[in-house]
Amino acid sequence: MSVVPARSWGVLAVLCGAIFLEGIDVAMLNVALPSIRADLGLSTGMLSGVVSAYVLGYGGFMLLGGRVADLLGRRRVFLFFLGVFLLFSGLGGFAEEGWVLLVARFVTGVAAAFMTPAGLSLITTTFPEGRQRNQALLIYAGTAAGGFALGLVIGGLLTAFGWRWVFFAPVLFSAALLIAAIPLLKETGRPSSARGFDLAGALSVTGAMMLLVYGVVRLEHPENGWPLTVAVFAGGFALLAAFVAIERRSASPLVRLGILRSGPLVRANIMAALLTASFFGFQFLVTLYLQELRGWSTIQTGLALLAAAADVILAPILTPWLVNRFGNAKVVLAGLLSGLLAYALFIGVGLDWTYAAMLPSMLLIGVMFALVYGPVTIVATDGIAEHEQGLAGGLINTSFQFGAALGLSVVTAVNVAALGAATGQEAGLAALRTALIVPLTATLLGAIVAAVGLLARTRTADRVPVNAAT
């Protein structure tokens, strides 16, 4: 087995730092929202818009970001948008009015949409396909998941000093990453030799993704009216259909539709969306339970969810061994079954539960992330040509992001509908238990997709390599 140069591990450290930054940035803001509203006097709609603006920018531009990295150069795109991320995170810290926060979060989301797939494709083109790349991706995935979990704790601590530090801390971290990245990162391969830029395809797919994500966000607020929500979804699907028609005729398509003929890639993206839908929906419900029904502080809540970050340790240590021993398909299925058990155990949650009663679910969720996030990322990028690695990274990250938005919106809508006009702790607990069915169902569907992939794999060959697709 060839030895990976020390520089490559330095590159991985920088890119892991970037995905960790993206994770803690989202989680820290969620913790700081009540303090921001109290200080700036924001309405509930404006506060919700601060969160939605980031999701719209991230989810809307992710697919475009991945392809642009292939076309213009991954290093160039990563460094430029890391700088944009730094600047607009700082702008959010100086905000005195709601609209400034909206602009800052939207542009920060757009920056992350370009930066994240560029970073992932730098890993997949730096490390050779096989065990070395798998290990690198598993470390990267564990770091990403750890960022979301640790961000809750870090956000609670920073908010105690002042909510503006939730924006200023990423500025300092981004600056350190930028200083390290400039000498370490090298352009991997030549930019794609596409004969031109597919502007019509870029506009249609970006518009489609933004409308679809906005439609998902509107699900959280059924009181705003269903006709407009349905119209937003209809517009999104119409633009998506136009995008497909444009790509079929384009001489240099933004997305080569043939890439979607890969069953493993499609299954990996479906499982990615269902994974994050279940986790973010569950995280939101647990936060409601601990803070609103039990009266726990933000720091206590963050520490309670810290056990779910067990994947930070398991992903780089246990998961590579399991993947090498059993293959991605079986590991992913085992991870999703762990998550299914975690959510099933939590359905019986009560107002008198001790943390010891919650701990098994938290730990099992950490196991789920450790066994699913990294291997699914491997499957989504394995066997993809080097000049399309940015596109593959954009697809899988779009699935992760879209799933997170969908899960959060659906559990919110179900929780609100189940609660109705009822008040009190018992009513809140009953509504929460009903909404917990959403992450349970999402994980069950993910396990079914994984099982289908495993059956398809066993039918096509008696024996497959370790890195075989799911």
Side-chain angles (χ1 to χ4, degrees):
M1 188 172 88
S2 59
V3 178
V4 178
R7 175 183 287 273
S8 297
W9 296 111
V11 168
L12 179 62
V14 167
L15 298 174
C16 282
I19 198 66
F20 181 80
L21 168 68
E22 192 272 323
I24 63 168
D25 180 76
V26 174
M28 289 192 305
L29 179 66
N30 290 340
V31 174
L33 287 174
S35 298
I36 294 172
R37 172 158 61 180
D39 188 27
L40 299 185
L42 302 183
S43 66
T44 300
M46 178 64 79
L47 198 68
S48 175
V50 170
V51 177
S52 302
Y54 182 90
V55 173
L56 285 172
Y58 199 163
F61 285 82
M62 180 71 77
L63 195 56
L64 176 61
R67 192 58 182 141
V68 166
D70 288 332
L71 293 171
L72 301 182
R74 300 171 185 110
R75 177 184 183 272
R76 181 183 305 163
V77 170
F78 178 84
L79 292 178
F80 177 80
F81 282 100
L82 179 57
V84 174
F85 191 100
L86 184 158
L87 291 174
F88 279 85
S89 185
L91 176 64
F94 288 110
E96 295 292 343
E97 296 184 40
W99 70 268
V100 178
L101 276 179
L102 287 177
V103 171
R105 291 308 290 169
F106 178 76
V107 179
T108 304
V110 172
F114 283 83
M115 187 172 69
T116 303
L120 178 58
S121 60
L122 279 167
I123 292 176
T124 57
T125 53
T126 296
F127 291 84
E129 190 170 303
R131 287 194 177 190
Q132 292 174 350
R133 182 189 292 179
N134 291 354
Q135 184 180 8
L137 288 175
L138 291 171
I139 293 171
Y140 180 79
T143 306
F148 287 113
L150 293 175
L152 295 171
V153 181
I154 297 170
L157 293 172
L158 290 176
T159 304
F161 290 100
W163 65 264
R164 296 182 189 277
W165 280 104
V166 167
F167 292 90
F168 293 145
V171 171
L172 300 176
F173 194 17
S174 301
L177 284 175
L178 196 56
I179 292 168
I182 290 172
L184 272 174
L185 298 185
K186 302 296 180 185
E187 198 61 73
T188 54
R190 296 181 178 180
S192 174
S193 57
R195 286 171 285 178
F197 185 71
D198 181 14
L199 181 61
L203 292 174
S204 58
V205 74
T206 301
M209 293 308 300
M210 289 186 70
L211 283 176
L212 291 175
V213 171
Y214 179 57
V216 166
V217 170
R218 283 187 61 85
L219 292 176
E220 299 178 34
H221 308 284
E223 71 278 4
N224 290 342
W226 287 106
L228 180 56
T229 301
V230 171
V232 169
F233 274 116
F237 283 118
L239 280 177
L240 201 57
F243 168 71
V244 172
I246 291 167
E247 298 308 277
R248 284 177 173 171
R249 293 174 174 80
S250 176
S252 54
L254 183 73
V255 176
R256 183 179 63 82
L257 297 180
I259 199 173
L260 300 178
R261 296 193 187 103
S262 168
L265 181 143
V266 171
R267 286 192 293 272
N269 278 269
I270 292 172
M271 287 186 288
L274 292 170
L275 171 71
T276 52
S278 71
F279 174 75
F280 280 89
F282 177 77
Q283 184 187 72
F284 173 74
L285 292 173
V286 170
T287 301
L288 285 182
Y289 167 71
L290 294 177
Q291 293 189 21
E292 295 190 358
L293 298 181
R294 300 293 299 275
W296 290 25
S297 69
T298 55
I299 295 178
Q300 287 174 315
T301 301
L303 290 173
L305 290 167
L306 194 57
D311 63 300
V312 176
I313 298 171
L314 296 176
I317 297 174
L318 178 63
T319 310
W321 181 84
L322 291 174
V323 167
N324 291 330
R325 177 70 177 82
F326 300 105
N328 287 308
K330 292 178 180 178
V331 172
V332 168
L333 179 57
L336 289 167
L337 291 176
S338 297
L340 194 62
L341 178 58
Y343 300 134
L345 289 174
F346 212 85
I347 288 262
V349 65
L351 294 173
D352 58 348
W353 266 29
T354 63
Y355 184 64
M358 308 174 210
L359 187 58
S361 290
M362 302 299 181
L363 292 174
L364 284 168
I365 288 170
V367 171
M368 176 183 69
F369 248 97
L371 301 188
V372 179
Y373 196 114
V376 157
T377 305
I378 293 170
V379 171
T381 54
D382 255 4
I384 303 298
E386 182 174 311
H387 69 277
E388 289 187 321
Q389 282 292 328
L391 171 59
L395 285 169
I396 192 67
N397 280 295
T398 296
S399 297
F400 282 133
Q401 184 66 26
F402 191 79
L406 183 63
L408 185 58
S409 297
V410 173
V411 297
T412 301
V414 171
N415 187 64
V416 170
L419 186 60
T423 58
Q425 286 185 315
E426 290 296 337
L429 183 63
L432 185 135
R433 284 173 174 167
T434 302
L436 279 168
I437 296 173
V438 175
L440 185 72
T441 303
T443 311
L444 176 60
L445 291 174
I448 292 171
V449 173
V452 168
L454 186 58
L455 290 173
R457 178 174 172 240
T458 55
R459 284 196 207 102
T460 55
D462 294 327
R463 196 174 174 186
V464 288
V466 165
N467 299 320
T470 303

